[in-house]
């Protein structure tokens, strides 16, 4: 059995990850691939409990940045071993809606915990499991936030969405710096374009890579 491909989508809120993942899944399935989509935090029983704690538990508002980092890592450690690795071994393609780069930039850069510290914890959490390709949907943080607010409607922002704009600007810069360091794995796509144009760019990258 040929091992499946592992692709992650990254970017700040509202950049269009979920939208593009849906389009990609239907294209890949049309080519005969079996595809599994994961989201983080979450994707397992343990991970979904952690998601609730990280994002939606009002009593957790005094969570320290260090606890937050370890909880994201714990959710991913479970997801990798319980879901991602077995799927890849089974020949499935795995599309991850966020993976370890989110922790590097949100906790390492945004929260200021440092990318070396976060890198060590990320490595412990994922072991050898790294994406073959990461699509970074890049756009201005304020514009992405406006999209996310519009699509949320009446729902309240979660604990992380509720950060000031400077936090998301540093997250965006963190992603761009990471892409510069790892150009082979991380490909930047301009997320300001229309949904169809972004989809075409991603198709082009897939044709070239796989
Ligand atoms: N987080 C962290 O801190 N550390 C970690 O390690 C991990 C995560 C893994 C997870 O939130 C939060 O946890 C996230 C990072 C943090 N917090 N923030 N901020 P989530 O999973 O609940 O949400 P999200 O990942 O931020 O995604 P999102 O806001 O749902 O956005 P999206 O999936 O990228 O976008 P979308 O839903 O596809 O599109 C948003 C809207 O824009 C929607 O109405 C679309 O129709 C529209 N859209 C999409 N594309 C376009 C284009 N091209 N043009 C115009 N409109 C568009």
């Amino acid at each position: 059995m040929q091992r499946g491909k592992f692709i992650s989508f990254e970017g700040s809120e509202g950049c269009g990850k979920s939208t593009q993942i849906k389009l990609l899944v239907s294209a890949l399935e049309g080519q005969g691939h079996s595809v599994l989509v994961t989201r983080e935090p979450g994707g397992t029983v343990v991970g979904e409990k952690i998601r609730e704690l990280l994002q939606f538990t009002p009593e957790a508002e005094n969570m320290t940045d260090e606890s937050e980092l370890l909880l994201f890592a714990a959710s991913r450690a479970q997801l990798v071993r319980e879901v991602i690795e077995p799927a890849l071994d089974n020949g499935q393609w795995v599309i991850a809606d966020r993976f370890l780069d989110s922790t590097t930039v949100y906790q390492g850069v945004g929260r200021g915990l440092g990318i070396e510290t976060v890198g060590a914890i990320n490595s412990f959490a994922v072991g050898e499991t790294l994406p073959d390709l990461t699509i970074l949907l890049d756009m201005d943080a304020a514009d992405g936030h406006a999209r996310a607010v519009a699509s949320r409607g009446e729902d309240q922002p979660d604990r992380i969405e509720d950060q000031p704009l400077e936090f998301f600007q540093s997250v965006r810069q963190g992603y761009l710096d990471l892409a510069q360091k790892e150009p082979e794995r991380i490909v930047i796509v301009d997320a300001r374009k229309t949904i169809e144009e972004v989809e075409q760019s991603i198709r082009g990258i897939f044709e070239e890579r796989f």
Side-chain angles (χ1 to χ4, degrees), residues 39-99:
R39 71 161 181 179
E40 290 203 28
T44 62
V45 171
V46 170
E48 290 298 324
K49 293 274 183 204
I50 293 175
R51 183 182 184 90
E52 187 61 32
L53 187 59
L54 275 167
Q55 291 180 258
F56 304 109
T57 306
E59 298 80 4
E61 68 179 352
N62 68 344
M63 183 184 296
T64 66
D65 294 345
E66 291 78 4
S67 301
E68 181 182 278
L69 164 63
L70 293 167
L71 285 169
F72 276 115
S75 171
R76 184 167 308 122
Q78 187 73 29
L79 186 70
V80 163
R81 289 156 186 83
E82 188 180 324
V83 176
I84 296 179
E85 271 301 321
L88 292 171
D89 283 344
N90 214 19
Q92 278 187 292
W93 285 41
V94 176
I95 314 286
D97 191 338
R98 297 192 178 281
F99 197 61

Side-chain angles (χ1 to χ4, degrees), residues 64-156:
T64 66
D65 294 345
E66 291 78 4
S67 301
E68 181 182 278
L69 164 63
L70 293 167
L71 285 169
F72 276 115
S75 171
R76 184 167 308 122
Q78 187 73 29
L79 186 70
V80 163
R81 289 156 186 83
E82 188 180 324
V83 176
I84 296 179
E85 271 301 321
L88 292 171
D89 283 344
N90 214 19
Q92 278 187 292
W93 285 41
V94 176
I95 314 286
D97 191 338
R98 297 192 178 281
F99 197 61
L100 84 175
D101 300 319
S102 285
T103 317
T104 306
V105 298
Y106 280 83
Q107 279 65 52
V109 180
R111 296 292 197 214
L113 292 175
I115 53 174
E116 284 79 21
T117 304
V118 174
I121 289 166
N122 271 344
S123 297
F124 179 67
V126 306
E128 301 290 305
T129 309
L130 285 173
D132 298 297
L133 170 69
T134 296
I135 303 285
L136 170 56
L137 294 177
D138 174 61
M139 69 186 292
D140 177 73
D143 294 344
H145 180 69
R147 273 193 200 166
V149 169
S151 74
R152 198 158 57 220
E154 300 288 295
D155 292 348
Q156 291 300 306

